Amino acid sequence: MTPGTSTPYTGGFTPVTEEITAFDLEVTGRIPAELDGRYLRNGPNPLSLDDAGAGHLFLGAGMVHGVRLRDGRAEWYRNRWVRNAAVSERLGEQPRPGPVHEGMDFAANTHVIGLAGRTFATVEAGALPYELGYELDTIGSCDFGGGLPGGYAAHTHLDPATGELHAIAYFFGWDHHQHIVIDPGGNVTRVARIPVPDAPMAHDFALTERYVVIYDLPVTFSMTHAEQGHRLPYAWNDAHAARIGLVSRESGDVRWVEVEPCWVFHTLNAYDDGDEVVVDVVRYPKRFVDARLDLGGLPTLDRWTINPATGKVRQTRLDDRAQEFPRMDERRTGRPYRYGYTAATRDVYEVIHPKDAELEDLPDETFDNTLIKHDLLRGTQESRQFGRGAYVGEPVFVGSGAAEDDGYVLCYVNNAARGAADLVILSAQDFTGEPVATVHLPARVPLGFHGSWIAG
Ligand SMILES: [Fe+2]
C-alpha cells in the first residue's frame, strides 16, 4: 500500500467511477487492417473506496476495458464492471444466473480470455469465471456445463498445437491442485488432482510439450489470518518447502524438485530442452508477507533450468531490472522462443514493495513506465520509456507474420496531458520507434492486471 493511506487504489490504480461507451475513436497513426478483434484487459476497480474489497489490490471488483479494432478503425471503447451478485446489487440490477462454488461468488478481476468464441473474466482461489458478452456485459458465472468440479484459475495457457487450454486451480479447502484441460469447443476434458500439502497459493504455472510445471512455493493458506479477518488469508510459511512440480502430460506422474525459497506470480514461457526443462519467470527473492502483500524485494526476470533425472535446478538471471507482466508470442507457448515483453511501472512496486528509499534508488530510465523487449538469444533488451504518469500496463503481443517478433505489442498507457488513456500499438520489430498507432480513449484506464487480444 502507498504509505500513509489505507488503500492501494491510488496513483495509477485509482479506480474510475463510470462505465463509458464511445464510438469511432480518434487515432494518431494507422491501425493495421489485419488487427480485427478486441483488446480486452481486466483489473480491480472497487465501486467505491468504502467497499469491502477496496482494502486490497487483489480484492476489488473486476472491470474490463476493451477496444474493438476493425478495418483500420477503432470502432468502440467500453469499460464494464464484472457483475457478480454483489456488484449487480450495488448497481441496482438483477443478479445474473449461474453456479457458485463454495459461496465464492467473486467479480473476477484478474484476467480476461477468449475461449470457444466466448469471453471470460477469470480469477483464482476458488471462484468460477464470469462469462461476458461481446460488448462486455455480464452474462453470468460459468462452470462449463458442470465440467468444473470447483473454482477455476486466473492464468491459463493454451497449447498452440492442440488448442487445449490448460489451468491449475487451487482452493484453501482442497488438499490438492486441479489440472484442468478445456478443449477448443469449451468442454472440460480433464480434471486431474495433484496432491499438495498446506493449500498453497498458485497464481500461475507453465506448460511445455512434455510437462505442466507447477510452482509450489511457501505462501500457504493461513487460518490465523482468516480468523483475524484478512480477506486474502495467505502467508509466508517457512515450514513449506519451495519446489517445482513437473507433471507429465502423458502419464500424470509428478516429479518434484526443490528450489531456493522465493515467490513467483508470473511465467514468461517454458520449454523442453533435450532432457532438461527451461522455465522463465518473474521471481521475487525473499518473502511474501501475508495480506499486506509486501513481497520483501523487487522482482527480476530469472530462468530455472531443471534436470528431471537428477533433480538439479540451475537458476540464472535474464534481467536484473524490476519488472512484471511478462508476455510473449503465444504461438510459441511451451516451445523454444527468443523474445519476451515486460513492463516496469513504479506504481506496481509501490503497492507490492512500499519501501520508498529502495524505490528512489532506481533510476527512472530503467525503471519507470517502461516496456522492455527481451532478446533471450542474445541476452539483450530494448527499453521504451513512456514518461511520468504513463502507468504502463501489461504488453500483449499479437502475431502477424511467421517470424516470432513479426507482430504488434498492445498496451494501455495513461496520457497524463489528456488525463485519459491511449491504446498504444507498437511494431514489435521497431519497439523503440514511433507507435504504429495510438488510439485516444475518452477516459482513464487504471493500472490493472491481465488481458488478451481476441481476434474476430
Ligand atoms: Fe497474474
Side-chain angles (χ1 to χ4, degrees):
M1 288 183 193
T2 304
T5 68
S6 59
T7 174
Y9 294 100
T10 60
F13 286 104
T14 304
V16 294
T17 56
E18 281 184 299
E19 294 183 325
I20 289 171
T21 305
F23 298 100
D24 291 320
L25 309 168
E26 192 190 322
V27 179
T28 302
R30 288 174 72 94
I31 298 171
E34 63 193 305
L35 288 177
D36 179 359
R38 294 168 301 161
Y39 170 64
L40 307 183
R41 202 221 63 202
N42 204 347
N45 193 106
L47 280 102
S48 89
L49 294 182
D50 297 328
D51 272 279
H56 197 290
L57 189 64
F58 290 177
L59 300 175
M63 176 180 273
V64 175
H65 300 259
V67 177
R68 170 68 161 120
L69 304 179
R70 180 157 61 179
D71 297 333
R73 293 165 47 235
E75 281 192 343
W76 54 254
Y77 162 78
R78 285 178 163 89
N79 65 312
R80 296 290 183 270
W81 273 289
V82 177
R83 283 145 164 90
N84 70 338
V87 171
S88 295
E89 188 183 335
R90 287 278 276 107
L91 296 173
E93 300 174 5
Q94 288 297 313
R96 273 60 171 173
V100 176
H101 171 238
E102 295 270 356
M104 308 279 289
D105 177 29
F106 191 78
N109 68 4
T110 312
H111 211 320
V112 54
I113 60 171
L115 170 63
R118 300 156 73 185
T119 306
F120 297 95
T122 60
V123 70
E124 66 202 49
L128 288 163
Y130 262 85
E131 182 170 5
L132 309 180
Y134 197 85
E135 296 178 341
L136 310 183
D137 50 299
T138 299
I139 295 170
S141 60
C142 175
D143 63 3
F144 299 97
L148 294 180
Y152 194 52
H155 283 275
T156 56
H157 294 288
L158 186 83
D159 185 318
T162 65
E164 292 173 321
L165 189 70
H166 291 250
I168 296 292
Y170 71 96
F171 177 54
F172 69 84
W174 292 347
D175 60 1
H176 60 274
H177 293 337
Q178 290 182 354
H179 171 218
I180 298 164
V181 179
I182 302 181
D183 74 12
N187 308 297
V188 177
T189 55
R190 180 181 171 84
V191 179
R193 291 184 173 202
I194 297 151
V196 181
D198 305 330
M201 179 182 270
H203 183 69
D204 196 359
F205 67 102
L207 193 65
T208 75
E209 291 181 82
R210 290 205 302 257
Y211 298 105
V212 173
V213 183
I214 295 177
Y215 314 138
D216 179 18
L217 302 173
V219 175
T220 63
F221 179 74
S222 164
M223 188 53 81
T224 308
H225 284 72
E227 285 169 358
Q228 287 169 357
H230 289 286
R231 294 191 68 227
L232 190 73
Y234 287 85
W236 186 269
N237 178 358
D238 275 320
H240 188 89
R243 49 186 203 156
I244 300 170
L246 301 174
V247 184
S248 164
R249 290 177 61 180
E250 196 177 297
S251 67
D253 293 345
V254 190
R255 170 70 160 119
W256 292 104
V257 297
E258 287 218 13
V259 290
E260 184 187 315
C262 63
W263 177 248
V264 168
F265 281 115
H266 297 127
T267 304
L268 173 57
N269 196 17
Y271 57 93
D272 304 312
D273 185 12
D275 293 334
E276 297 187 316
V277 181
V278 175
V279 185
D280 294 341
V281 295
V282 172
R283 183 179 161 281
Y284 293 80
K286 294 175 194 164
R287 40 185 296 165
F288 173 105
V289 184
D290 72 50
R292 288 180 299 114
L293 194 69
D294 175 354
L295 292 152
L298 292 165
T300 49
L301 187 64
D302 291 353
R303 169 168 287 179
W304 285 315
T305 305
I306 304 163
N307 186 319
T310 64
K312 289 227 164 66
V313 181
R314 203 162 64 247
Q315 185 175 296
T316 49
R317 183 137 301 168
L318 301 176
D319 190 2
D320 61 6
R321 287 179 287 178
Q323 57 202 287
E324 255 292 2
F325 298 122
R327 296 295 291 255
M328 38 72 68
D329 180 350
E330 288 167 7
R331 299 173 298 183
R332 282 160 176 81
T333 294
R335 276 74 183 166
Y337 73 117
R338 178 171 177 178
Y339 299 107
Y341 308 89
T342 57
T345 306
R346 180 179 299 256
D347 286 52
V348 173
Y349 309 119
E350 285 179 351
V351 171
I352 59 180
H353 185 60
K355 294 192 174 103
D356 286 343
E358 205 168 320
L359 289 172
E360 277 162 18
D361 287 345
L362 293 158
D364 271 7
E365 65 270 19
T366 59
F367 176 68
D368 197 14
N369 293 310
T370 301
L371 292 184
I372 304 169
K373 177 184 178 183
H374 299 269
D375 181 337
L376 301 171
L377 184 67
R378 294 192 177 176
T380 57
Q381 299 90 29
E382 290 178 84
S383 296
R384 185 190 181 90
Q385 211 51 92
F386 287 87
R388 289 223 164 236
Y391 307 143
V392 173
E394 178 189 59
V396 171
F397 178 85
V398 184
S400 170
E404 184 180 331
D405 65 345
D406 187 353
Y408 306 100
V409 173
L410 275 57
C411 183
Y412 288 131
V413 177
N414 189 54
N415 184 325
R418 288 199 309 117
D422 293 328
L423 169 58
V424 173
I425 304 172
L426 303 174
S427 161
Q429 291 179 334
D430 184 21
F431 196 68
T432 57
E434 276 296 300
V436 172
T438 302
V439 181
H440 304 289
L441 308 186
R444 259 180 350 99
V445 175
L447 272 171
F449 296 137
H450 307 287
S452 300
W453 170 255
I454 304 176

